[in-house]
Each structure stands twice: as C-alpha cells, then as structure tokens.
Amino acid sequence: MTIAPPDFLRLAGHRLRWELLTLLADGDRPVRELTALAGQPQNLVSYHLAQLRSGGLVRSRRSSADGRDTFYALDLHRCGELLTGTGAALHAGLRLTPPAPPVPPQGTRVLFLCTGNSARSQLAEAMARAGGLDAFSAGSHPKPLHPNTSRIMRERGLDPSGHEPKSLDVFRAEPFDLVVTLCDKVREVCPEFEGGPPPVHWSIPDPAIDGSDAAFAACAEELAVRTGFLLARLAA
C-alpha cells in the first residue's frame, strides 16, 4: 500500500518553497522583495507562492500603500497545526506538545508603528506588554484613540489607561531591539533606528477605517496570534 506524505512535507520540502517560508517567517514581504532575496525569476517565485497559498501556509493581501503590490504573510498558526499532524502521521509518539509560555529576556524593547496610532499599534503594544516586553507604539500621523480600541483591550483583560497617540518622532533617538510596522504606508516612511535590526512588517488592515466591532475583533485576533509568535521568537 502506498501512503502519500502529509501536505506539509509536500509543500515545505521543496527547496525554494522552504526558502520562501523562511523569508516570510521574518515578516510580510511583497513578491519583488522575495524575488530579490531568493535570487530567482519573479514568475518562478510567484508560482511557488501560489502553491503555498493554495496549501494554506501563506496568505496574501493587497498593499494599502501601493495597490500594485501584494504582501505575502506566513500563517504560523496553520503551519503549527500541519506540523503537529505531520509528526502524528508518522508515529503517535511524535505528536507535538504545546510549548511552555514564552518568556522573553527582561528589558526587551519593541516599538509598534502604524499611521494613526489609534488602533493596531496600540493593541499590539498592550498585548506585548502583557507578554513581558517593554513595548511602545507610535504613528506617522497620530489620531485620537478609537473608542473600539479601548473596548477591545478591556474585553481581552488589557489595561487601556495610559494609551495615548504619539508621533514616531518621539522615539527616533531611542534604541529598540525590534521595530514592527503594522501599516503598509508607514512601512514606506519608517526611519532607521540606530543599533537595531531592520524593521519587521505585518500587513494588517486598519480596523478604524471600517470602525465596526467585527473589524476590530478580527484585527485583535490576528495581532494576538502574531504577538504570541513574536514573544516565542524573542524568547528563543
């Protein structure tokens, strides 16, 4: 009897697809960047991205800064599910167990940036602080905190007090271990922060544009997943 290997092995086992997954593990990227980093023709990169997307390992989202660009993001949660199933498919004793809650090094400083600093970056800051990071947030064009931002924080057991919009200029001279841009527009104008690594990008729609409870709930859920994986990365 022939038994087909699990989908994760089929998808991730290809050398170029594995390289693309590894590049996307660092943050969301457009095809042109993936093409340059992989050193492969764009049509080949696009083909393998389509394979990864159809397999549920990668998501795509049109850029809100330049509609000609599409950002690709690694679905880490889905990858974790497929990896668990892959081990169990070979032997019951290889089923992965959930890791212990990550504990990042004390004093790790992370800055979250978006355009308005009214929703996405504020939520990310609150979640990262709850996870033990020295987290901050700012915007390129700060706007008043959206009422749904405070509501979502309270619903998730986070403290909204002290969350005020700030300009990214406030932090230009400060050192950070990591800078995360949450907005395609602010990614284009993000300044260099001395001594730190290049910014990581998470392409997340602004829930304040829609303003609905559903938009904020979806944003908060995506940020919770991404922040959880960020904590694990920094803890490692």
Side-chain angles (χ1 to χ4, degrees), residues 21-29 74 178 198-202 233:
L21 291 173
T22 302
L23 290 169
L24 292 173
D26 288 334
D28 304 355
R29 299 181 186 273
L74 179 62
L178 188 66
V200 167
H201 184 55
W202 299 349
R233 171 187 173 183

Side-chain angles (χ1 to χ4, degrees), residues 8 12 17 19 31 33 52 59 63 68 75 79 81-82 110 113 120 139 152 155 165-166 168 176 184 204 222 226 236:
F8 183 83
R17 288 200 287 266
E19 184 175 2
V31 173
E33 285 188 11
L52 293 171
R59 303 189 308 266
S63 169
R68 296 170 296 180
D75 191 334
C79 285
E81 290 179 338
L82 291 175
V110 177
L113 299 175
R120 292 166 290 184
I152 285 286
E155 287 179 358
K166 300 170 292 295
L168 64 82
F176 291 95
D184 300 335
I204 299 178
E222 181 169 359
R226 288 190 183 243

Side-chain angles (χ1 to χ4, degrees), residues 35-219:
T35 299
L37 291 168
Q40 297 292 336
Q42 181 169 325
N43 62 338
L44 184 63
V45 170
S46 295
Y47 169 79
H48 286 291
L49 284 172
Q51 296 292 305
L52 293 171
R53 187 173 58 180
S54 65
L57 300 185
V58 166
R59 303 189 308 266
S60 63
R61 182 175 285 147
R62 185 71 65 180
S63 169
S64 60
D66 185 343
R68 296 170 296 180
D69 271 341
T70 296
F71 280 97
Y72 286 84
L74 179 62
D75 191 334
L76 288 164
H77 181 70
R78 179 60 178 155
C79 285
E81 290 179 338
L82 291 175
L83 276 170
T84 298
T86 297
L90 183 59
H91 191 285
L94 294 177
R95 183 178 295 277
L96 299 180
T97 57
V103 180
Q106 188 173 6
T108 302
R109 289 170 55 87
V110 177
L111 176 64
F112 295 96
L113 299 175
C114 65
T115 300
N117 193 215
S118 66
R120 292 166 290 184
S121 53
Q122 295 280 1
L123 289 169
E125 174 191 350
M127 292 176 184
R129 281 188 176 274
L133 296 176
D134 285 348
F136 306 86
S137 68
S140 57
H141 296 82
K143 298 178 181 179
L145 197 68
H146 196 286
N148 272 345
T149 303
S150 300
R151 178 185 60 78
I152 285 286
M153 287 185 188
R154 287 191 291 268
E155 287 179 358
R156 289 180 168 265
L158 305 170
D159 184 6
S161 64
H163 281 266
E164 299 291 339
K166 300 170 292 295
S167 168
L168 64 82
D169 292 333
V170 173
F171 298 105
R172 282 181 183 267
E174 295 192 23
F176 291 95
D177 297 288
L178 188 66
V179 175
V180 182
T181 56
L182 308 175
C183 168
D184 300 335
K185 293 179 181 178
V186 85
R187 179 180 188 264
E188 303 298 325
V189 300
C190 183
E192 293 185 7
F193 289 85
E194 187 174 353
V200 167
H201 184 55
W202 299 349
S203 180
I204 299 178
D206 184 2
I209 294 176
D210 181 296
S212 67
D213 292 354
F216 271 83
C219 177

